[in-house]
Amino acid sequence: ISPSATAAEIFQAFAGKQYVWRLTKSDTAQASMFLQIAREHAANSVALLSGFNMYSNSFFSWFGFYAAENGYLDGAVAVDRYEQDLMGSNGDEPRERMLDAQPDRLFVVPESPAQLRCMLRVYVRYGLGHINQTQLFFADKGYNLAVLSDFGTSIDGVSGFALGSPPASGFDAAYRRQFDVLTVPANVANAYDAMMLAAYGLEIS
């Protein structure tokens, strides 16, 4: 029972084997929603910046397919990857390339807080020094309050996905009340469900 693994490769590796139960959708669903959002907001051009690990590969592999499905031609679609060594002297180049192209929507898949911070730093620099209409949108790992709060109002307008339980379930409210906290960690509802399913299975067996 997997509460939080979202890489598309897992679906492919265990297809038809019937003994893996995933409690969250594949990241291909997020990739598809990227392009639906772009189309709904009348974006004429779209771009994706991702990394190299299994999480990022799901987005990198499927972004172009969903872009075509939503009517974007090759000239209106760009994809690039973070450099593998963030400590390199040209650490901001992929982000600068993307912003130089000025896509209407730039979707970013950060693999770490360092990548998120780098993207925001470059975005703020471009926002202060350039006329740039690019709308920045992060995949779920971009929802890192410890990093986002450091930039304050300079990143107003940046948006993205955040994982959570269905609001109607009441899980988040119960968790905050039980542990006296303001925010609920990502995937904690899935982890709770995984533990309960495992317990039920053991009891029945």
Side-chain angles (χ1 to χ4, degrees):
I1 304 173
S2 170
S4 59
T6 55
E9 286 87 343
I10 296 175
F11 275 136
Q12 296 162 1
F14 293 97
K17 293 186 170 60
Q18 299 184 4
Y19 57 80
V20 174
W21 191 348
R22 299 180 73 180
L23 300 182
T24 186
K25 286 187 176 182
S26 165
D27 285 319
T28 57
Q30 274 197 76
S32 174
M33 290 174 68
F34 281 172
L35 279 306
Q36 291 176 41
I37 289 169
R39 179 54 65 204
E40 289 169 4
H41 288 83
N44 293 317
S45 58
V46 294
L48 174 76
L49 179 63
S50 69
F52 288 86
N53 69 13
M54 188 177 289
Y55 168 70
S56 290
N57 278 337
S58 299
F59 295 91
F60 188 84
S61 299
W62 286 90
F63 186 79
F65 171 78
Y66 289 122
E69 272 203 336
N70 282 272
Y72 289 99
L73 302 177
D74 289 348
V77 182
V79 292
D80 205 342
R81 293 188 189 261
Y82 282 97
E83 67 290 337
Q84 294 197 59
D85 179 12
L86 276 176
M87 304 308 291
S89 58
N90 62 343
D92 289 337
E93 281 189 6
R95 287 162 288 284
E96 290 173 348
R97 283 197 300 270
M98 284 297 186
L99 290 171
D100 280 338
Q102 296 194 5
D104 292 334
R105 285 268 170 172
L106 172 55
F107 299 97
V108 182
V109 184
E111 296 173 351
S112 67
Q115 288 183 348
L116 172 62
R117 191 177 298 278
C118 285
M119 182 68 244
L120 292 173
R121 185 182 67 241
V122 173
Y123 185 77
V124 169
R125 187 165 73 233
Y126 266 64
L128 294 174
H130 299 259
I131 299 173
N132 193 302
Q133 301 302 315
T134 297
Q135 294 295 306
L136 191 61
F137 195 100
F138 283 102
D140 57 285
K141 286 195 176 178
Y143 187 66
N144 184 322
L145 295 179
V147 174
L148 297 175
S149 60
D150 288 345
F151 288 85
T153 57
S154 66
I155 57 171
D156 282 355
V158 171
S159 54
F161 290 130
L163 299 180
S165 63
S169 71
F171 181 90
D172 283 10
Y175 184 95
R176 289 193 294 267
R177 184 171 60 250
Q178 175 70 27
F179 297 104
D180 192 24
V181 293
L182 295 177
T183 59
V184 180
N187 294 313
V188 70
N190 304 44
Y192 177 84
D193 286 346
M195 293 172 64
M196 293 299 291
L197 287 167
Y200 292 146
L202 290 169
E203 176 64 21
I204 291 173
S205 67

